[in-house]
Amino acid sequence: MEINEEYIDRVKNFIEQKDAENVKALLIDLHPADIAELCNDLAPEEARFVYRLLDNETAADVLVEMDEDVRKEFLELLPSETIAKRFVDYMDTDDAVDLMRDLDEEKKEEVLSHIEDIEQAGDIVDLLKYDEDTAGGLMGTEMVTVNENWSMPECLKEMRLQAEQLDEIYYVYVIDDDERLQGVFPLKKMITSPSVSKVKHVMRKDPISVHVDTPTDEVVQIIEKYDLVAVPVVDSIGRLVGQITVDDVMDEVREQSERDYQLASGLSQDVETDDNVMRQTSARLPWLLIGMLGGIGNSMILGNFDATFAAHPEMALYIPLIGGTGGNVGTQSSAIIVQGLANSSLDAKDTFKQIAKESVVAVINATIISLLVYIYNFVRFGGTATVTYSVSISLFAVVMFASIFGTLVPMTLEKLKVDPAIATGPFISITNDIIGMMMYMSHDTNLPDKPVELEEDKKTAEVSEPATTETPAEATLTDKPAESVQKLTKEEILNKLKEIATDVENAAKSEIDGLKQAFYKLHNSEQEAAKKQFVENGGAIEEFVPQADALEEEFKNTMSVIKEKRSALNAEQ
């Protein structure tokens, strides 16, 4: 049956009405996993009402399937005796251990004291001693074992007795008199060879096994590699202490995948959507702060290249391209390496071999990307523009570095016994951004001073520039490209200012002399010709004399200001 919103609302309504019969009718056909899903959507008190309607075995199975955070909140409402007698007594030891890990130390001791089966309580205590990320912390003690010296009839009788206590039988393990693992008893032989004298004559020797201290990710790889449904666990002297089943492994694979994904996404700890604000903040903030520092470092790097941007402003357009491409390439390379390390298809010993392979791939990718960018810039700016080839060269170098760096870092972390999943997240992106930007800007500082005038700048200049006639001094200044103005000494600045002042003075004198000559022509024999010429040029004769006087006065004022500036400059020098 599908657990939809309508179904959940019906259950909640019946719980609110204390209608146990109707609630029980809705639950009777549900699998324990479906009931657990339903309880995840109920309040703790509502879930408690549901549990009271379940038989002990079903209630234990439902509790195992519940979301870990919801289960922990639910257990806080129950007394220790209820947890022990209603749930733990009906659980496999590995599931009971998982439940006990959700309790605080005081309540854990209380629950253990209420377990009636002393052997089960002892097994739980022993398993709690193992790290939960090892085979010992993942295994269960429920399994069928037979002695290698038993006869076939004796073996069958013992197997029947042990099977009554188990839900599933995966393998039958053969042990010696010291409980050391000797082999696996094939059930097929029980049918085809019923007259064999002893078990050791038909058992499959040297079975695949794991040690109690074997990390869980290695256990997952072994079960996957050999297509096992369960794997026996032995202690340091080879005694059989438990087994890990495929369903336990699947849960571990899912949890490990979630951890790796969150770590690669920049989360420093395992979080869920229903976690409180403080926990989610503490999980996200560390990498965000590191990213902020990386961004500040990037801005500091760019701040050291003001002169480059002044000479080549078009270079700023490609900063997002350089940073984004480097981050993407590095993340791709590191993701492939981390995946290979996780499924054992890649060994950390093959670092240089993998780097060589990645370098070939990087050369191909970098060539294609750089060539496409070159074609785009060639069409937009022309073949002789600095930006046309400089961006492509920098992009090629950045892609090469990011590929090799994204390969080297996770393999180095693997050798240092550090989770390489760290390298697939913000770490690679931030590092590639910073180093890529340094490579890009360092290359641009060595470029020739040949700026490109962007189309937008041309249009702006055409609209905003007035149609005026330049003076000789202005022409001298505007003829010089902006990028040729470099950092000058104080003495050089003063000399240039003097030259400019002299040019302005000479230009003003020349204009006034021309006006004076025109004025004098009005009083000689060429007066009429001069007057006619002035009128033809668009002026009126009655305006000519006042204009000449005004310009002469302006000339005197200009000369006065220039002299004052000269005096001030000389005094400062």
Side-chain angles (χ1 to χ4, degrees):
M1 184 179 293
E2 183 181 359
I3 307 297
N4 51 31
E5 290 294 332
E6 181 181 355
Y7 186 89
I8 296 173
D9 290 339
R10 289 177 61 193
V11 172
K12 288 184 177 181
N13 289 333
F14 287 138
I15 293 175
E16 187 177 355
Q17 298 169 12
K18 306 297 182 182
D19 191 345
E21 290 300 324
N22 280 323
V23 174
K24 196 170 184 179
L26 290 174
L27 300 177
I28 193 169
D29 294 329
L30 293 181
H31 187 276
D34 294 326
I35 300 176
E37 182 182 350
L38 172 64
C39 292
N40 289 338
D41 294 323
L42 299 177
E45 286 296 338
E46 293 173 334
R48 188 176 183 181
F49 183 90
V50 170
Y51 269 94
R52 289 172 180 168
L53 304 177
L54 304 175
D55 60 79
N56 291 335
E57 290 186 2
T58 303
D61 291 339
V62 170
L63 193 63
V64 170
E65 298 291 340
M66 285 183 68
D67 182 79
E68 185 176 342
D69 293 332
V70 176
R71 180 176 64 194
K72 187 175 182 180
E73 187 177 357
F74 175 71
L75 291 175
E76 292 176 354
L77 300 176
L78 301 177
S80 301
E81 185 176 0
T82 301
I83 296 174
K85 296 183 177 180
R86 187 77 194 279
F87 301 111
V88 177
D89 284 347
Y90 298 91
M91 289 181 175
D92 292 338
T93 51
D94 56 336
D95 294 328
V97 169
D98 290 339
L99 182 145
M100 298 292 284
R101 293 186 193 277
D102 293 336
L103 306 176
D104 57 52
E105 290 297 327
E106 182 179 353
K107 196 164 188 176
K108 190 183 300 181
E109 295 292 335
E110 293 177 358
V111 171
L112 288 172
S113 66
H114 287 99
I115 297 177
E116 295 180 354
D117 189 340
I118 301 301
E119 183 178 356
Q120 183 190 25
D123 289 340
I124 292 174
V125 171
D126 290 339
L127 294 180
L128 286 171
K129 295 177 182 178
Y130 295 113
D131 190 331
E132 60 180 327
D133 293 327
T134 62
L138 192 62
M139 70 181 182
T141 57
E142 291 80 11
M143 54 189 170
V144 177
T145 59
V146 296
N147 191 285
E148 64 178 350
N149 296 314
W150 287 350
S151 64
M152 192 63 68
E154 187 180 5
C155 174
L156 295 176
K157 179 182 178 180
E158 186 64 28
M159 286 172 59
R160 291 191 187 99
L161 293 175
Q162 295 183 34
E164 292 178 357
Q165 309 297 324
L166 304 177
D167 295 330
E168 298 286 346
I169 298 177
Y170 297 95
Y171 296 110
V172 176
Y173 300 109
V174 182
I175 58 175
D176 61 12
D177 295 334
D178 295 323
E179 298 186 348
R180 290 177 296 187
L181 179 66
Q182 298 298 314
V184 175
F185 181 75
L187 297 179
K188 181 179 178 181
K189 292 291 184 180
M190 183 177 63
I191 300 174
T192 59
S193 305
S195 59
V196 176
S197 59
K198 290 188 178 182
V199 172
K200 63 182 178 181
H201 295 150
V202 296
M203 71 178 182
R204 189 167 66 246
K205 297 181 180 181
D206 301 323
I208 298 170
S209 62
V210 296
H211 193 269
V212 289
D213 295 328
T214 303
T216 54
D217 55 347
E218 292 186 18
V219 175
V220 171
Q221 294 170 10
I222 290 173
I223 290 180
E224 181 184 8
K225 180 178 181 180
Y226 298 104
D227 294 327
L228 302 175
V229 294
V231 60
V233 183
V234 298
D235 62 11
S236 58
I237 59 175
R239 292 180 300 184
L240 180 65
V241 293
Q243 74 170 353
I244 298 174
T245 60
V246 67
D247 59 327
D248 297 326
V249 167
M250 292 301 297
D251 293 337
E252 180 61 28
V253 169
R254 177 182 56 80
E255 294 175 1
Q256 182 176 344
S257 298
E258 290 178 354
R259 287 196 301 268
D260 290 345
Y261 178 78
Q262 291 182 343
L263 191 60
S265 300
L267 298 175
S268 58
Q269 55 183 297
D270 185 23
V271 292
E272 301 291 342
T273 55
D274 54 355
D275 286 340
N276 58 48
V277 174
M278 290 304 299
R279 180 173 175 81
Q280 292 203 23
T281 301
S282 62
R284 301 180 187 188
L285 192 58
W287 276 113
L288 292 177
L289 292 176
I290 295 175
M292 178 197 71
L293 294 176
I296 293 175
N298 241 339
S299 65
M300 294 174 65
I301 292 172
L302 296 176
N304 293 326
F305 295 94
D306 291 341
T308 301
F309 286 127
H312 304 279
E314 68 277 4
M315 290 300 174
L317 301 176
Y318 294 91
I319 291 176
L321 173 64
I322 297 296
T325 303
N328 291 337
V329 171
T331 300
Q332 288 179 346
S333 299
S334 60
I336 293 174
I337 299 302
V338 171
Q339 182 182 3
L341 293 173
N343 58 29
S344 297
S345 62
L346 181 64
D347 196 325
K349 298 178 182 178
D350 300 329
T351 300
F352 293 105
K353 179 181 178 181
Q354 187 62 33
I355 289 177
K357 181 179 180 180
E358 187 65 29
S359 298
V360 176
V361 176
V363 168
I364 298 174
N365 289 334
T367 301
I368 294 174
I369 295 173
S370 300
L371 183 60
L372 292 175
V373 173
Y374 177 84
I375 294 173
Y376 168 77
N377 286 332
F378 183 87
V379 173
R380 183 177 182 185
F381 301 113
T384 60
T386 300
V387 69
T388 302
Y389 59 87
S390 64
V391 174
S392 295
I393 295 173
S394 299
L395 191 60
F396 185 93
V398 168
V399 171
M400 289 296 301
F401 170 79
S403 297
I404 296 174
F405 187 72
T407 301
L408 181 61
V409 170
M411 299 193 77
T412 303
L413 293 177
E414 177 71 12
K415 289 182 178 180
L416 298 175
K417 305 300 181 183
V418 179
D419 191 347
I422 299 174
T424 62
F427 176 75
I428 285 290
S429 298
I430 294 170
T431 306
N432 281 336
D433 281 349
I434 294 176
I435 297 180
M437 202 55 58
M438 292 177 64
M439 295 172 64
Y440 177 55
M441 298 310 302
S442 298
H443 174 262
D444 287 348
T445 55
N446 299 320
L447 298 175
D449 294 333
K450 192 170 185 180
V452 173
E453 186 178 2
L454 303 181
E455 293 297 327
E456 293 80 359
D457 296 336
K458 293 179 179 178
K459 293 178 181 179
T460 304
E462 292 174 357
V463 173
S464 61
E465 184 179 350
T468 57
T469 303
E470 293 181 337
T471 64
E474 292 170 340
T476 302
L477 291 175
T478 55
D479 286 343
K480 297 180 180 180
E483 67 275 15
S484 65
V485 180
Q486 304 295 333
K487 293 184 178 179
L488 304 174
T489 63
K490 183 177 179 180
E491 183 178 355
E492 291 173 334
I493 293 173
L494 294 174
N495 291 334
K496 286 184 176 294
L497 289 175
K498 289 180 181 180
E499 293 175 2
I500 293 171
T502 302
D503 291 341
V504 172
E505 180 180 352
N506 294 335
K509 284 182 177 181
S510 178
E511 291 181 7
I512 295 300
D513 289 341
L515 289 172
K516 284 183 177 180
Q517 291 176 7
F519 176 75
Y520 293 146
K521 287 181 180 180
L522 297 176
H523 300 284
N524 58 25
S525 60
E526 299 177 356
Q527 181 179 12
E528 292 301 327
K531 185 187 303 181
K532 181 179 180 181
Q533 182 180 358
F534 186 80
V535 172
E536 288 176 355
N537 290 336
I541 190 61
E542 60 271 13
E543 298 175 356
F544 182 76
V545 176
Q547 182 179 357
D549 293 339
L551 288 175
E552 187 172 6
E553 184 65 26
E554 183 178 353
F555 168 72
K556 293 179 180 179
N557 294 335
T558 302
M559 291 300 298
S560 177
V561 172
I562 291 174
K563 289 180 180 180
E564 292 178 359
K565 295 294 183 181
R566 275 187 170 179
S567 300
L569 289 173
N570 291 333
E572 184 177 355
Q573 188 175 7

